[in-house]
Amino acid sequence: MSVAPTQDAIVLFGDSITQGGWEAGGFAQKLACANDACLSFSRQHVPLARYKENLKWMVRSLREQDSEYYSPSTRIIFITPPPIQEDRWAGLLADRDPPQEKDRTWEHTKAYVEAVKETANDLNVPYVDAWDALWRAAGEQQPALNMFMTDGLHLTKEGYEVCHILLDNDISVLKVTIDRLQ
């Protein structure tokens, strides 16, 4: 079975941030999961070791010949979770009815970013470091992330544009590699 048997396609695994890539200005129109990095009390939380295993499963399911999802022509790119604005996100949760407890921290989310990069390197999968790119674009200043984040977690059009540029570069490199192999 091939993921894209009749034409080129981009397959995105992810959460609401990935889903937002299809909205106006999102990177998917122009062509990692942050929810897993919630704190342990959240129903969305995935333990770090399990998160890494899930990433490995997704890659192996496409690369291993005995997998029902085997697709040797499918190219894979990981995207790290973006940085978060803890205070802004916590404020949004506190304003809900009923109020909700803060479910993410900078340090905890950063561990998932590192897990994506480590797993990508282990499996020889390219990755886009959305965390680093957005953090640098914000001048490494939390308040400047407002331009790139709608609510402290989800990306704005400008945030998706930063990710799109990186993703576009990686897709271009993959295309050159694929063309050379054919």
Side-chain angles (χ1 to χ4, degrees):
M1 172 183 154
S2 178
V3 172
T6 59
Q7 62 185 13
D8 291 340
I10 296 174
V11 178
L12 302 172
F13 295 101
D15 54 20
S16 58
I17 295 171
T18 307
Q19 179 182 356
W22 295 103
E23 295 173 5
F27 61 81
Q29 286 186 339
K30 299 174 183 174
L31 301 155
C33 301
N35 282 340
D36 295 350
C38 286
L39 298 175
S40 61
F41 69 85
S42 170
R43 66 177 175 76
Q44 295 178 308
H45 172 74
V46 174
L48 192 58
R50 176 63 187 228
Y51 179 77
K52 290 170 73 171
E53 285 306 312
N54 289 347
L55 292 172
K56 290 175 185 177
W57 179 87
M58 286 186 270
V59 171
R60 290 180 182 138
S61 68
L62 295 171
R63 287 185 174 171
E64 294 178 358
Q65 290 183 4
D66 61 344
S67 169
E68 67 179 297
Y69 306 108
Y70 178 60
S71 181
S73 61
T74 300
R75 302 299 177 249
I76 302 162
I77 301 174
F78 284 165
I79 303 174
T80 69
I84 64 163
Q85 293 175 293
E86 263 185 77
D87 293 340
R88 193 168 171 206
W89 180 248
L92 182 92
L93 294 177
D95 288 343
R96 291 185 177 172
D97 187 19
Q100 295 179 6
E101 187 178 349
K102 178 173 79 171
D103 63 356
R104 300 161 201 270
T105 66
W106 179 272
E107 294 80 17
H108 191 75
T109 303
K110 183 68 170 163
Y112 285 72
V113 170
E114 295 307 317
V116 170
K117 295 192 287 190
E118 180 183 315
T119 305
N121 288 331
D122 289 349
L123 298 175
N124 198 28
V125 170
Y127 66 88
V128 169
D129 192 344
W131 176 289
D132 185 62
L134 290 163
W135 184 234
R136 282 186 288 115
E140 299 183 2
Q141 299 293 317
Q142 281 276 341
L145 282 170
N146 285 347
M147 178 178 176
F148 306 106
M149 318 284 295
T150 63
D151 55 10
L153 176 65
H154 299 96
L155 303 180
T156 61
K157 178 182 176 190
E158 293 80 9
Y160 282 115
E161 187 64 34
V162 170
C163 293
H164 165 255
I165 291 167
L166 293 173
L167 192 56
D168 193 43
N169 289 340
D170 276 1
I171 289 171
S172 295
V173 168
L174 278 176
K175 184 175 178 354
V176 168
T177 303
I178 292 166
D179 289 347
R180 272 193 246 143
L181 294 174
Q182 293 178 344

